[in-house]
């Protein structure tokens, strides 16, 4: 019975199912072949049919079930009738079996703000770099990110393609490796689930940073970290996943450009496993509904050894980025 569960856990369970539906829509748009790309503010700031459909799906599905929520989505869409097939009204029962952290048990619907990025890594999506793409649903309370859901529509994409090839040659039956997509979720005080936590080998400094929004500040800050390796990939969600899966040790983005809907959900997953995400000055990000959307002082995030990286941010970079 829904009423026996807290508002937060019902919302997370619903958002999980809604994120899975979103992943299906993202894959369907690619399969149909018409991405419907429009430029928003520049050639690197794009919107596709998938961005539009997924935002309609997530926001309408959430608003229907939780009418008092504040929902802030990336895309500025005109109000229109939403096709019934975009609505997801299921919930992930496994989440409802989990206890709600006591500090959140009395939260009311109207106290929560949901930050939605329907397609994080849109530019990469249009270029076929599909494993960079995520769907992000972040949940905030009193300005703090407390729960998050990340769907990776193309997780296992390469394994999936190999599997299809093997099946085509009749070399193997479809196995678990062929499952395409996954959903990661987390709640502060409970944990993060849906992935295998792994750390970069001790002493290795691998930086993940922007692929398509670089500038001198970004490169100066990355160089100051004295990295063994630098990964340039799309999507904030994707970069945080690199941190929790041991592919990178720090996410460094010394530039405005990243928005609250990019960081809210990933921050929760990282914090739930003991990591840290701040702006370049070390300030926590705020997620109340009145806050400006831009993370104007950049992002610094690590799974471990945050102080090592924070201490290496050049003063010139800090002076250039005003919170």
């Amino acid at each position: 019975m829904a009423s026996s569960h807290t508002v937060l856990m019902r919302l997370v369970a619903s958002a999980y199912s809604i994120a899975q539906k979103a992943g299906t829509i993202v894959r369907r748009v690619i399969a149909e072949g018409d991405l419907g790309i429009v430029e928003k503010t520049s050639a690197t700031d794009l919107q596709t049919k998938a961005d539009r459909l997924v935002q309609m799906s997530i926001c309408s599905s959430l608003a229907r079930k939780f009418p008092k929520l504040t929902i802030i989505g990336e895309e500025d869409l005109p109000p229109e009738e939403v096709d019934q097939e975009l609505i997801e009204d299921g919930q992930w029962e496994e989440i409802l079996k989990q206890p709600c952290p006591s500090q959140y048990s009395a939260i009311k619907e109207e106290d929560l703000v949901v930050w939605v990025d329907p397609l994080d890594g849109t530019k990469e999506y249009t270029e076929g770099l599909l494993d960079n793409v995520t769907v992000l649903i972040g949940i905030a309370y009193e300005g703090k990110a407390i729960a998050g859901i990340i769907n990776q529509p193309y997780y296992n994409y390469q394994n999936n393609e190999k599997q299809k090839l093997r099946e085509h040659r009749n070399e193997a039956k479809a196995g678990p490796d062929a499952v395409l997509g996954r959903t990661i979720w987390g709640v502060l005080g409970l944990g993060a689930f849906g992935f295998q936590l792994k750390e970069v080998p001790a002493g290795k400094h691998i930086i993940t940073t922007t692929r398509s929004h670089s500038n001198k500040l970004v490169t100066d800050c990355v160089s100051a970290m004295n990295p063994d390796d630098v990964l340039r990939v799309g999507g904030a969600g994707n970069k945080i996943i690199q941190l929790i899966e041991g592919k990178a040790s720090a996410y460094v983005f010394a530039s405005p450009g990243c928005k609250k809907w990019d960081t809210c959900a990933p921050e929760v997953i990282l914090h739930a496993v003991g990591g840290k995400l701040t702006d370049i000055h070390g300030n926590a990000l705020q997620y109340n509904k009145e806050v400006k959307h831009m993370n104007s002082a950049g992002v610094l995030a690590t799974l471990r050894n945050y102080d090592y990286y924070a201490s290496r941010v050049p003063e010139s970079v800090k002076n250039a980025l005003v919170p």
Side-chain angles (χ1 to χ4, degrees):
M1 203 166 72
S3 59
S4 67
H5 300 288
T6 63
V7 168
L8 180 64
M9 297 311 281
R10 284 195 298 115
L11 176 57
V12 174
S14 295
Y16 186 102
S17 293
I18 290 165
Q20 290 199 305
K21 169 92 160 191
T24 306
I25 297 168
V26 169
R27 290 189 294 268
R28 192 182 75 213
V29 170
I30 283 272
E32 288 171 354
D34 174 20
L35 296 188
I37 301 166
V38 292
E39 281 188 21
K40 291 197 288 187
T41 59
S42 70
T44 58
D45 186 15
L46 305 175
Q47 184 196 80
T48 69
K49 183 178 174 183
D51 294 83
R52 297 187 285 276
L53 290 176
V54 169
Q55 179 155 315
M56 282 191 273
S57 174
I58 293 174
C59 295
S60 302
S61 300
L62 285 172
R64 195 169 282 205
K65 234 175 178 180
F66 303 94
K68 294 177 184 167
L69 282 182
T70 298
I71 304 168
I72 303 172
E74 173 174 12
E75 307 307 335
D76 202 5
L77 301 176
E80 60 176 282
E81 215 29 61
V82 175
D83 192 325
Q84 190 55 39
E85 71 153 20
L86 291 176
I87 301 295
E88 172 57 60
D89 62 4
Q91 54 190 13
W92 194 249
E93 295 299 328
E94 289 302 310
I95 292 175
L96 293 177
K97 293 175 187 168
Q98 299 277 355
C100 181
S102 57
Q103 66 269 36
Y104 305 136
S105 60
I107 288 178
K108 297 188 184 72
E109 214 174 282
E110 55 268 37
D111 298 335
L112 294 167
V113 182
V114 180
W115 294 88
V116 176
D117 190 339
L119 191 68
D120 184 39
T122 300
K123 187 166 189 294
E124 286 68 29
Y125 181 66
T126 65
E127 294 171 7
L129 297 167
L130 300 176
D131 47 2
N132 285 213
V133 172
T134 60
V135 175
L136 306 173
I137 305 175
I139 300 164
Y141 172 63
E142 295 183 340
K144 185 178 179 181
I146 64 164
I149 297 90
I150 303 179
N151 178 273
Q152 277 181 295
Y154 290 97
Y155 175 72
N156 231 352
Y157 178 59
Q158 269 121 358
N159 281 344
N160 195 267
E161 293 301 307
K162 285 178 197 156
Q163 184 77 34
K164 280 188 195 155
L165 192 62
R166 285 202 297 271
E167 282 168 32
H168 184 64
R169 294 178 183 152
N170 293 323
E171 286 177 16
K173 295 279 184 282
D177 280 355
V179 176
L180 190 55
R182 69 168 167 181
T183 303
I184 291 169
W185 68 279
V187 176
L188 290 192
L190 181 61
F193 309 89
F195 64 97
Q196 205 62 51
L197 184 66
K198 196 176 168 198
E199 296 184 24
V200 169
K204 273 270 191 209
H205 301 294
I206 302 169
I207 305 297
T208 183
T209 191
T210 183
R211 176 180 167 266
S212 47
H213 303 282
S214 200
N215 57 37
K216 187 175 184 309
L217 273 183
V218 171
T219 52
D220 283 355
C221 196
V222 168
S223 301
M225 301 294 152
N226 200 14
D228 297 305
D229 198 5
V230 179
L231 311 174
R232 290 182 173 83
V233 299
N238 180 35
K239 293 181 189 74
I240 296 300
I241 290 169
Q242 289 186 318
L243 297 183
I244 61 176
E245 294 198 317
K247 296 187 178 79
S249 30
Y251 165 24
V252 180
F253 183 55
S255 179
C258 195
K259 311 277 199 327
K260 295 293 186 294
W261 44 73
D262 293 309
T263 50
C264 188
E267 173 181 317
V268 174
I269 305 300
L270 186 62
H271 285 176
V273 293
K276 187 168 181 177
L277 183 148
T278 66
D279 70 12
I280 230 69
H281 300 270
N283 302 313
L285 301 183
Q286 297 298 313
Y287 295 99
N288 44 298
K289 62 186 173 192
E290 301 84 12
V291 82
K292 65 177 179 180
H293 296 165
M294 181 77 76
N295 291 323
S296 51
V299 175
L300 176 64
T302 69
L303 177 60
R304 305 285 178 257
N305 305 319
Y306 172 88
D307 292 345
Y308 170 91
Y309 297 97
S311 69
R312 280 164 174 71
V313 176
E315 285 305 314
S316 57
V317 170
K318 289 182 182 175
N319 294 338
L321 292 174
V322 181

